Amino acid sequence: MPDSYGQRPKKADVLTCMRCAKEAGRDGASIRRCGRCNRATYCGKECQTMDWPTHKIECRQIVQEMELLRLTDQLRADGANLPINSKIPTNLSLVIMKKDLHNFVERYRKQFCMSALFALGLTTDPTSGRHTIECFVLTLSYHSDETQLNKRVQYVSGQARTFGAVMKRMRESEDLEAKRDGFIGCVRMMAELDGLSDAVEFRFGMDVTQWVMGEMVWEANLKRLLAA
């Protein structure tokens, strides 16, 4: 049962108790809303308690829908890959997992960018152009019972993947734009998690040749940083 009796509804709302049909103002009745869903209305604790076995299923569904909408809006505000006109997922756990994926990528963005440069061999030969035909792909796993983000989302593997023809043309255009701004190029990193994906792009210059981490140890170093 809800912890609180709730707040008074606005005058424009239906001021009728869902249990006894008593209207606000009659016989001193004061109608208030359910403290969880903010939709069901009751004249007092007694009616609310008696109606709870019937209302609880609808109440939980309403609360879940509101949380789903809130998380979806927050994902869009955070810049996650969820178009405005896309169909809102009906599975709350899927939305939570997508948000965790986005937050994980953003939190370790620098570490992933560094690993991508090493994995693509750009620290030894920045002008090879390999970044225009390949992207760095992270495969991740999800553990919903964990409380910490870097435990819920865990690194599995990282590898270079060749772009398709359409993406190659897009990458060439982005690369030219990066060069006009004084960079050597632009690398794309994609994270994949149980059918979901989140991507970031970053530009790099000749300074990457000064980095000392060897190409063969980038994965071990990435695992160490993620576990910290």
Side-chain angles (χ1 to χ4, degrees), residues 97 100 140-156 193-194:
M97 185 164 64
D100 278 344
L140 307 170
S141 61
Y142 195 68
H143 309 270
S144 59
D145 55 334
E146 296 287 350
T147 57
Q148 296 180 344
L149 179 61
N150 66 335
K151 298 297 183 182
R152 285 197 304 278
V153 182
Q154 295 185 19
Y155 171 85
V156 176
L193 172 64
D194 292 345

Side-chain angles (χ1 to χ4, degrees), residues 34 49 68 87 113 124-125 142 145 160 178 192 196 199 219:
C34 168
T49 302
L68 183 62
K87 182 179 179 181
C113 293
T124 55
D125 188 3
Y142 195 68
D145 55 334
E192 296 181 340
L196 301 175
E219 187 169 32

Side-chain angles (χ1 to χ4, degrees), residues 172-186 201-207:
E172 289 170 356
S173 175
E174 292 164 353
D175 205 50
L176 286 173
E177 184 178 340
K179 289 176 179 177
R180 284 197 295 267
D181 291 338
F183 294 88
I184 292 178
C186 180
E201 294 178 351
F202 51 97
R203 297 174 173 186
F204 65 94
M206 284 300 296
D207 58 330

Side-chain angles (χ1 to χ4, degrees), residues 33-148:
R33 292 185 180 277
C34 168
R36 291 189 65 199
C37 70
N38 201 36
R39 291 190 187 179
T41 50
Y42 299 101
C43 63
K45 272 285 187 181
E46 183 177 355
C47 276
Q48 185 182 28
T49 302
M50 293 176 64
D51 193 55
W52 178 242
T54 301
H55 173 58
K56 64 181 180 181
I57 297 177
E58 178 190 36
C59 184
R60 289 167 183 165
Q61 289 177 340
I62 293 171
V63 171
Q64 187 179 62
E65 289 173 2
M66 291 191 297
E67 179 66 5
L68 183 62
L69 290 171
R70 184 189 70 78
L71 286 171
T72 303
D73 289 341
Q74 188 173 348
L75 274 170
R76 289 170 176 155
D78 290 343
N81 184 21
L82 191 63
I84 292 296
N85 61 352
S86 67
K87 182 179 179 181
I88 296 175
T90 56
N91 190 333
L92 181 60
S93 61
L94 186 64
V95 175
I96 294 174
M97 185 164 64
K98 189 171 182 67
K99 181 173 177 59
D100 278 344
L101 171 61
H102 179 70
N103 289 341
F104 183 77
V105 171
E106 287 301 311
R107 176 181 294 185
Y108 298 104
R109 182 188 185 102
K110 181 179 179 180
Q111 290 87 339
F112 293 147
C113 293
M114 291 175 61
S115 297
L117 290 169
F118 281 103
L120 295 177
L122 297 172
T123 54
T124 55
D125 188 3
T127 61
S128 67
R130 187 176 173 188
H131 58 283
T132 62
I133 60 174
E134 292 179 322
C135 68
F136 180 64
V137 181
L138 290 172
T139 300
L140 307 170
S141 61
Y142 195 68
H143 309 270
S144 59
D145 55 334
E146 296 287 350
T147 57
Q148 296 180 344

Side-chain angles (χ1 to χ4, degrees), residues 197-217:
S197 64
D198 201 88
V200 294
E201 294 178 351
F202 51 97
R203 297 174 173 186
F204 65 94
M206 284 300 296
D207 58 330
V208 299
T209 59
Q210 301 173 13
W211 296 0
V212 296
M213 183 173 62
E215 290 184 39
M216 300 302 294
V217 300

